[in-house]
Every structure is written in structure tokens, then in C-alpha cells.
Amino acid sequence: MGWFSLAAFLIALAVAILIGLRLYRRGVIQPVARKPLDNWIAVMRAHTTVHLPDGEGPFPAAMLLHGCGGIRPNMADYAELAVKAGVAAFVPDSLGPRGISYEEAIESVCTGARLRAHERAGDLHAVLEIMRVHPEIDPERLVLAGWSHGGWTALEALALDRAGRRPASLNAVSPTGLDGVKAVFAMYPYNSFPARSRCLPWRRDIPVEGVLVPGDTICNDADSVDVFNRQIAWGNDVRWRYVENVTHGFDEPDHHPTSTLVYDPDKAKIAHKLFTGFLKRHLFGDQGSDD
């Protein structure tokens, strides 16, 4: 190797190391530590809020998976809708156990630098186990609902389950896996790279209902439509609809001050109606519910 080639090689190596260090500091290439499921159940139990309907159970239950910014006011709105429909709502906080603040989440989780869906799917499995053993919950009537990053997480869990793969954060999942989950409600979910739904089919016995925003600048709606059509071709039950003239997160009333996203209370009512109809169809068999 000549001096010029050696110098070029050393420069390229130095640049690669610098880029690698920068990505590591941002969390992009940090390895995810695998944890025993029981340990993570204990952690998530302390970071999950449970809302129960009045009366005597067992109740059907919905897991509400927040977006990349953590638990925002819209989670309380949907939990209230669930309770009014006779459904328990479990709202896990995926940021709290990891010590991620709202501001940090905006900079790292929302940019894909950390806590991607293949890791967060471990939270989903842990909370499912919490739901199953709750004395007032019917473990045979469960649904998953996710907003943006939470939708990505729910759909990622379907893909990993069908492929027989573990979430990146767990040593193992329960043998029951996603059993008891009747459907997934995905509000403006992320379906772009590196979402596994792009290349792995979902579990076929769990239908998916999506709500999309035209021209979504955060979670590309065209990518979601491509994924949905691909999943249909693979034999999955997928339906979706658009809510027009809104931005991503249109049903969230308290966006970050620097955000370009806009809360639309009137259009949020459409999302609320879609969510309630979803619960009635999949947990109570009310096929006459509006969609």
C-alpha cells in the first residue's frame, strides 16, 4: 500500500470512528440490554396507570400506547372514552423507566435515535402480562391502541410475533404471546424504515384498523398505505380511513411550543368516535358501530 493509499485509509477510518462515536452518543447504535420478562413486568407495573369502569368485572381492556413524546393529555381523553364504553384502560409510560424527559424524547425518541419499536415492544408484552393477571380484567378480551410511535410499537409486535422473534429488550416473552388480543387500533402510525411491518407479515388473527392523515409530515401516510396493502396481500385483515385537513397529532391538545402540529378539537371528535366504534366492534361484537 502506497503512502497516499495509506493516508486515505487512515482518514476514512478516523471519519468512520468519529461518525460512530457521534451516533453512539445520540443513541442510534447503542445496544439494547435484554431483560428477563418478570423483571420488566415489575418495572412497567410501577409505570402503568389503570382506569377501571364502574361496576363489577371482569372487564375487557385496552392498552393505550402513547406517542414518542410520552403520555400527553390525549391519553386521558381516550382512557375516559374507554371507561365510558365499559372497557378498562391501561396506559403504560415507556419514557419514565428509562429516565427520558419530554424534552429529551422530542430530541431523541421522536427522531428515531433511541427507543425504537423493536425495543418498546418489550413494554407491550410486559403490560399484557399485567393485564392478564389483573383480577378485574377478562384476559380473552384485550385490544392494543397506539398513537404514532405507539402505533409503530403495536404493529411491530404483530410482526415480531408472527416471525417468532423476541423484542430487542427482552430475554424471552411469555408463551401466551399476544393471545387474547382481538385487534389493533393504529392512529397515524409510523411505517417507514426501519419498521419491520415493511418486510414481515403480521399475525393473521389480529385485525388492524388505522387512522391516517393526508400528507403526514411526521409519519408518512403513503408508507402506511403501502404497508397496509402489503399486509392485505399477505392475508391480513386491515382497514383504514383518512381524517382530512388536519396535521399529525390533531387529537393531541398540548403540543410542544416549537411544534408545527395543530390540535383540532372538532376533528378530534372524529378520532374519538372511531376509537369508541373500534372498542365496541372488537370487544363487544357490535358490528353496527360506526367506522
Side-chain angles (χ1 to χ4, degrees), residues 50 114 133 190:
V50 181
R114 63 191 298 195
V133 300
Y190 182 79

Side-chain angles (χ1 to χ4, degrees), residues 9-279:
F9 170 77
L10 292 175
I11 291 171
L13 179 61
V15 170
I17 291 173
L18 288 173
I19 293 174
L21 288 172
R22 185 174 180 180
L23 292 175
Y24 181 84
R25 291 192 185 103
R26 291 183 59 200
V28 175
I29 59 173
Q30 288 181 354
V32 177
R34 290 192 182 274
K35 300 166 284 289
L37 176 60
D38 288 346
N39 290 7
W40 202 239
I41 288 173
V43 171
M44 292 308 301
R45 193 184 302 277
H47 289 87
T48 298
T49 303
V50 181
H51 305 259
L52 294 174
D54 293 331
E56 186 176 345
F59 303 106
M63 187 190 307
L64 310 186
L65 296 161
H66 61 70
C68 66
I71 295 178
R72 309 299 296 155
N74 61 334
M75 291 295 95
D77 296 338
Y78 286 96
E80 182 179 358
L81 289 169
V83 167
K84 286 182 177 179
V87 178
F90 286 67
V91 187
D93 174 9
S94 288
L95 302 187
R98 298 171 172 90
I100 303 173
S101 70
Y102 177 50
E103 293 291 340
E104 290 171 333
I106 296 298
E107 294 180 359
S108 61
V109 181
C110 295
T111 58
R114 63 191 298 195
L115 190 56
R116 293 180 179 177
H118 73 301
E119 174 184 354
R120 193 177 172 199
D123 299 9
L124 183 154
H125 278 276
V127 177
L128 272 180
E129 294 307 303
I130 295 169
M131 296 166 75
R132 289 187 178 113
V133 300
H134 195 290
E136 296 190 70
I137 300 304
D138 179 355
E140 297 301 319
R141 288 192 296 162
L142 309 174
V143 294
L144 308 174
W147 283 256
S148 192
H149 192 286
W152 177 21
T153 299
L155 300 179
E156 192 91 346
L158 294 186
L160 293 172
D161 183 86
R162 175 76 181 275
R165 300 183 186 179
R166 300 167 296 177
S169 54
L170 295 178
N171 286 335
V173 298
S174 167
T176 52
L178 299 180
D179 292 353
V181 175
K182 298 303 181 185
V184 171
F185 182 79
M187 281 287 293
Y188 37 75
Y190 182 79
N191 274 308
S192 303
F193 177 84
R196 284 161 178 76
S197 296
R198 299 168 64 84
C199 57
L200 295 176
W202 297 330
R203 181 164 161 169
R204 287 183 178 172
D205 61 336
I206 301 178
V208 171
E209 296 189 16
V211 179
L212 303 179
V213 169
D216 196 326
T217 59
I218 305 298
C219 295
N220 188 295
D221 58 295
D223 284 348
S224 284
V225 171
D226 286 345
V227 165
F228 291 165
N229 282 323
R230 190 174 302 121
Q231 294 292 338
I232 289 172
W234 287 335
N236 291 295
D237 181 358
V238 187
R239 69 172 79 176
W240 68 94
R241 64 156 290 174
Y242 275 97
V243 177
E244 304 286 340
N245 302 313
V246 294
T247 69
H248 185 89
F250 67 91
D251 56 333
E252 182 181 322
D254 186 23
H255 289 293
H256 192 274
T258 63
S259 176
T260 59
L261 306 184
V262 179
Y263 171 57
D264 188 323
D266 291 329
K267 294 297 179 69
K269 293 177 183 177
I270 297 175
H272 296 167
K273 185 177 181 181
L274 293 172
F275 176 69
T276 301
F278 166 84
L279 296 178

